[in-house]
Amino acid sequence: MEVELVAALTGLAGLAIGLATGLAVRVSERAQRVQAPAPPQHALPPGVASVLSVLRSSAVVVDGEDRVLRSSSAARAFGMVSGDRLVVDELVAMARLVRRDGEIRETEIQVGPSRGRRADGRWFQVRVAPLGSHGLVLVLAEDLTDMRRVEAIRRDFVANVSHELKTPVGALSLLAETVEGAADDPEAVRRFSGRMQNEAVRLTNLVQDLMTLSRIQGDEPLPELHPVALDELIVEAIDRSQTKASAKDIEITAGGQHGLKVRADDELLVNAIRNLIDNAVAYSPENTRVVVATRRCEDQHVEITVTDQGIGIPESELERIFERFYRVDPARSRQTGGTGLGLAIVKHVTTKHGGEVTVWSKEGSGSTFTIRLPLLDPVRPPVPAAVRENRDNGREAKP
Ligand code: ADP
């Protein structure tokens, strides 16, 4: 019996020792894992972190094993860094080359969801340089995307303007030759010089529209805004479009609420309304009506609408018609003498006045363009009698 007890106790003791040993090994393993020295890293040289934090460029510092030691939030946001890795292959390769020979390198890269498609992603001018003597490498990336976009817009614009100028200038030169050749035929001379005048008018309109656009496209606010009565402005705009409308027997009428005022550059606003009326006339058949109406909205805005019974605009084109030189039917626009800049001008003029322009249209039925502007001197809601009394007595009304 004693022998059995001793054997059992010995067994238990053995088990306990085994368990304790196992536990001790685990604890020690975990402790080792926790205290395991971090992979060899070199801290940033003193002062570098503060210099990087004031730079506007995206900045990344990688160590000798290509691990990111420091990165700006922009570098992460633009998708150059994920976790502790540079994720743009070109940058990793450049960092290695720079680490190897100490030469500063520069390149342009595209970073984004659809690399390879030039229109997408963001473009960066990148400079990669050694940082200190421990294999650290600094990557600085300057975002070029907006600059490239502006450059592309400018290039397109110059190309468009040149193209638009080429047409009337070419026509003028041809007509001049024809007139010269028809010197003995007064009737032909009269006809061709009439066409020369048309081309000259087209050129003048184009130059005029370009000048207006360049004036209103910038970020600067318009210098001279003053109270303007919409009734007078609309009469003036209709007046300027009247000749073209009469030629097509199109009746233009004004309606809606009277006496509304806005703060405006009157010449620009007349120009915008006239552009809409000119279009309404140009894209409508003969013997139709164009209605210009004003309306006061609940939210202290006014709406000026120009409605026609014309050809309308396909829904798929509605988004683009406010772009410079965009035309649904280029041949028709040229035929009507349009510059392709009218709606771009309307859009910029309304934006400059703190408003917006919208369009409703149905092919074959007609279109309505609406200019919406802040109302001047909006009538405030009536002050309750109790508040008025307290105010008059110099006391604040209790809520
Ligand atoms: P354009 O000088 O060609 O008229 P706009 O910028 O004024 O240039 O207008 C752009 C295009 O929008 C026009 O070419 C035309 O296709 C379309 N458009 C504008 N207004 C109307 C309208 N009232 N009815 C039908 N189409 C219109």
Side-chain angles (χ1 to χ4, degrees), residues 327 329-336:
R327 295 146 162 136
D329 178 352
R332 182 170 187 138
S333 160
R334 291 219 171 77
Q335 196 186 320
T336 57

Side-chain angles (χ1 to χ4, degrees), residues 121-132:
R122 299 194 77 82
W123 282 92
F124 293 90
Q125 167 82 42
V126 180
R127 208 170 152 78
V128 184
L131 189 65

Side-chain angles (χ1 to χ4, degrees), residues 279 283 308 312-313 321 326-328 333 338-340 342-343 367 369:
N279 280 348
Y283 300 104
D308 65 53
I313 303 161
I321 54 171
Y326 190 81
R327 295 146 162 136
V328 177
S333 160
T339 60
L343 289 182
S367 311
F369 284 82

Side-chain angles (χ1 to χ4, degrees), residues 194-226:
R195 283 173 56 186
M196 286 175 84
Q197 272 171 20
N198 287 345
E199 295 301 332
V201 167
R202 184 193 294 270
L203 261 181
T204 313
N205 290 344
L206 180 60
V207 171
Q208 189 61 50
D209 279 358
L210 284 171
M211 282 165 61
T212 307
L213 255 188
S214 78
R215 198 183 136 205
I216 55 178
Q217 261 183 340
D219 289 336
E220 326 73 65
L222 294 171
E224 281 174 41
L225 295 188
H226 39 253

